[in-house]
């Protein structure tokens, strides 16, 4: 069987390790940029009422028309822009790559950034070009990006705005220079839109090659798996052709449409998370032994003293707190940890445990 595997499975796939998610059982979960707040019981009851009328024996609406309308209304997406739904924004990142993949074609992003850009480029058989961010503040090295664009002529550029896992938001003028220099599509990935005041959504149409990618995951609906791509309809009509039929299941369609009708609650939760982020950042800044990086997302990247990230990560876990250890994931993230902003008590527990370890 091993011979067969070696013969059949592509060498570049065999060389990968599957995306690993640790078991969070019993731990305070501050590792995955989830919204820590649930819904009030009355709203849950209303939601269950909606679900009870869903016809599970039928295929879902292939276009997700009701969710699309709810998204347009809740997010202010004008009718002259196209909208495409994905099973999480991950699926849209993959659909974009599949639609343009050809031997020799490249995907460009900055490094370190969202790991799926690189992985999906590989899945699609495309080459990935990662232009290093500036190591001191993780800002875009614009001359380096412009050089790489001229050199590699990428078919796709993904820019996370704000960036994951660093938390900073790139300079908007740098973004515009990149869009204008790009011979291909530029996808501005706004997964963290609820936690910043800046967006390219309102600028769609200003450049023919700009698309904006969003998700409901980080705003409180990670379990639903719903992402959306917005941009000129002619582009989205092409990308739509590689979408698998019925990619958004019927429970997600019903639940997302319901949740979006209650967007003020999600907005309120995002405001609370932003306030907690400010408090957590201030508390981390007061500790001598770690350096937090400014964040416009719902997490904070921090750098520990040399060689301390692994023991701190493990020590936190021993005290029942799960965060993300980025040490070893990228040379620029040596000694780095990433903590998701949780509820006030969770953040306090994290700070307590961290202080004890330092
Ligand atoms: C979390 C994240 C996503 C993926 O979101 P899903 O919609 O849950 O697939 C996409 N882009 C960035 C930058 C992220 O951090």
């Amino acid at each position: 069987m091993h011979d067969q595997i070696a013969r059949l499975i592509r060498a570049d796939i065999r060389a990968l390790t599957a995306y690993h998610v640790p078991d969070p059982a019993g731990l305070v979960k501050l590792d995955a940029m989830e919204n820590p707040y649930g819904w009030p019981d009355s709203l849950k009851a209303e939601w269950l009422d909606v679900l009870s009328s869903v016809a599970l024996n039928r295929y879902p609406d292939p276009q997700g028309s009701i969710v699309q309308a709810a998204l347009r209304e809740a997010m202010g997406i004008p009718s002259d822009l196209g909208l495409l739904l994905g099973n999480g924004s991950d699926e849209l990142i993959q659909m974009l790559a599949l639609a343009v993949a050809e031997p020799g074609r490249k995907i460009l992003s900055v490094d370190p950034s969202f790991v799926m850009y690189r992985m999906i480029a590989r899945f699609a058989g495309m080459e990935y070009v990662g232009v290093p961010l500036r190591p001191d503040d993780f800002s875009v090295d614009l001359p380096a990006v412009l050089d790489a664009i001229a050199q590699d002529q990428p078919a796709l550029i993904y820019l996370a705005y704000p960036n994951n896992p660093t938390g900073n938001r790139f300079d908007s003028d740098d973004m515009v220079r990149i869009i204008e220099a790009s011979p291909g599509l530029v996808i501005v990935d706004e997964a963290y839109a609820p936690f910043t005041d800046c967006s390219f959504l309102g600028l769609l149409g200003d450049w023919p090659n700009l698309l904006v990618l969003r998700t409901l995951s980080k705003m409180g609906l990670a379990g639903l798996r719903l992402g959306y791509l917005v941009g000129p309809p002619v582009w989205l009509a092409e990308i739509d052709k590689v979408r698998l039929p019925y990619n958004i299941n019927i429970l997600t369609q019903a639940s997302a449409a319901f949740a979006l009708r209650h967007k003020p609650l999600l907005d309120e939760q995002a405001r609370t998370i932003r306030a907690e982020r400010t408090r957590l950042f201030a508390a981390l800044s007061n500790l001598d032994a770690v350096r937090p990086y400014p964040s416009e997302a719902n997490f904070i990247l921090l750098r520990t003293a040399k060689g301390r990230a692994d023991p701190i990560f493990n020590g936190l876990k021993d005290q029942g707190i799960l965060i993300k250890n980025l040490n070893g994931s990228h040379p620029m993230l040596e000694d780095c940890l990433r903590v998701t902003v949780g509820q006030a008590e969770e953040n306090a527990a994290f700070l307590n445990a961290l202080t004890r370890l330092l």
Side-chain angles (χ1 to χ4, degrees):
M1 197 160 67
H2 287 294
D3 291 356
Q4 230 170 355
I5 289 171
R7 192 154 39 79
L8 269 170
I9 305 294
R10 273 160 44 188
D12 59 340
I13 300 296
R14 274 185 284 131
L16 291 174
T17 33
Y19 192 80
H20 172 70
V21 180
D23 178 9
L27 300 174
V28 174
K29 200 170 180 313
L30 300 177
D31 65 326
M33 284 82 95
E34 291 146 334
N35 171 337
Y37 303 101
W39 292 354
D41 286 343
S42 58
L43 195 62
K44 276 192 207 160
E46 243 185 275
W47 168 58
L48 288 176
D49 220 37
V50 169
L51 288 189
S52 69
S53 66
V54 167
L56 289 180
N57 55 320
R58 304 291 179 196
Y59 281 107
D61 173 353
Q63 310 303 334
S65 315
I66 291 175
V67 196
Q68 286 214 18
L71 274 172
R72 284 187 185 276
E73 163 96 27
M75 308 297 173
I77 301 166
S79 56
D80 60 341
L81 287 175
L83 181 58
L84 189 57
L85 305 182
N87 191 339
S89 46
D90 287 347
E91 192 191 29
L92 290 161
I93 296 169
Q94 185 172 48
M95 283 162 56
L96 284 155
L98 289 177
V100 303
E102 253 182 36
R105 291 230 176 129
K106 295 176 184 175
I107 290 182
L108 183 145
S109 187
V110 290
D111 261 347
S113 188
F114 188 46
V115 292
M116 293 311 291
Y117 305 150
R118 178 191 294 273
M119 289 188 56
I120 283 170
R122 163 110 32 121
F123 300 162
M126 294 178 73
E127 198 176 310
Y128 177 82
V129 179
V131 182
L133 294 170
R134 292 205 163 92
D136 44 331
D137 61 356
F138 302 116
S139 61
V140 167
D141 184 346
L142 186 63
V145 173
L146 296 179
D147 278 354
I149 290 173
Q151 170 83 34
D152 294 306
Q153 298 286 306
L156 293 179
I157 297 179
Y158 291 111
L159 292 168
Y161 185 85
N163 191 36
N164 173 14
T166 56
N168 60 313
R169 185 178 51 75
F170 301 138
D171 183 83
S172 58
D173 292 334
D174 287 352
M175 301 279 290
V176 168
R177 292 283 301 279
I178 293 170
I179 295 165
E180 293 183 342
S182 169
L185 278 173
V186 177
I187 294 95
V188 178
D189 181 349
E190 298 188 348
Y192 299 98
F195 313 106
T196 178
D197 296 325
C198 297
S199 171
F200 275 82
L201 198 64
L203 299 177
L204 280 169
D206 286 9
W207 300 277
N209 60 336
L210 172 67
L211 304 178
V212 169
L213 181 64
R214 292 265 188 103
T215 176
L216 300 191
S217 295
K218 312 293 158 60
M219 65 185 274
L221 301 165
L224 289 184
R225 310 299 300 127
L226 188 71
Y228 57 104
L229 185 64
V230 193
V234 284
W235 277 121
L236 299 198
E238 298 301 322
I239 313 298
D240 191 38
K241 296 174 187 173
V242 300
R243 185 173 60 87
L244 293 176
Y246 314 118
N247 62 329
I248 311 300
N249 77 72
I250 209 164
L251 294 175
T252 294
Q253 292 196 24
S255 302
F258 173 82
L260 288 167
R261 281 200 295 278
H262 298 276
K263 182 151 179 292
L265 174 69
L266 299 173
D267 291 341
E268 178 60 38
Q269 293 177 344
R271 274 194 294 278
T272 308
I273 291 167
R274 287 170 74 152
E276 277 301 314
R277 174 183 71 198
T278 304
R279 281 159 39 99
L280 184 57
F281 184 82
L284 289 167
S285 303
N286 281 333
L287 301 174
D288 288 333
V290 295
R291 173 188 172 194
Y293 290 87
S295 168
E296 293 194 28
N298 63 342
F299 60 86
I300 294 175
L301 179 77
L302 45 132
R303 199 181 293 273
T304 69
K306 195 125 212 71
R308 292 288 291 144
D310 292 357
I312 289 173
F313 171 78
N314 290 321
L316 287 169
K317 211 167 159 192
D318 291 341
Q319 295 181 63
I321 293 158
L322 181 64
I323 63 168
K324 176 85 175 175
N325 187 1
L326 294 167
N327 185 47
S329 68
H330 187 278
M332 245 181 257
L333 299 172
E334 213 178 311
D335 307 311
C336 282
L337 300 168
R338 186 189 67 196
V339 60
T340 302
V341 179
Q343 299 193 29
E345 315 80 69
E346 297 173 320
N347 302 332
F350 162 72
L351 283 167
N352 255 323
L354 178 66
T355 311
R356 236 172 294 153
L357 288 165
L358 290 176

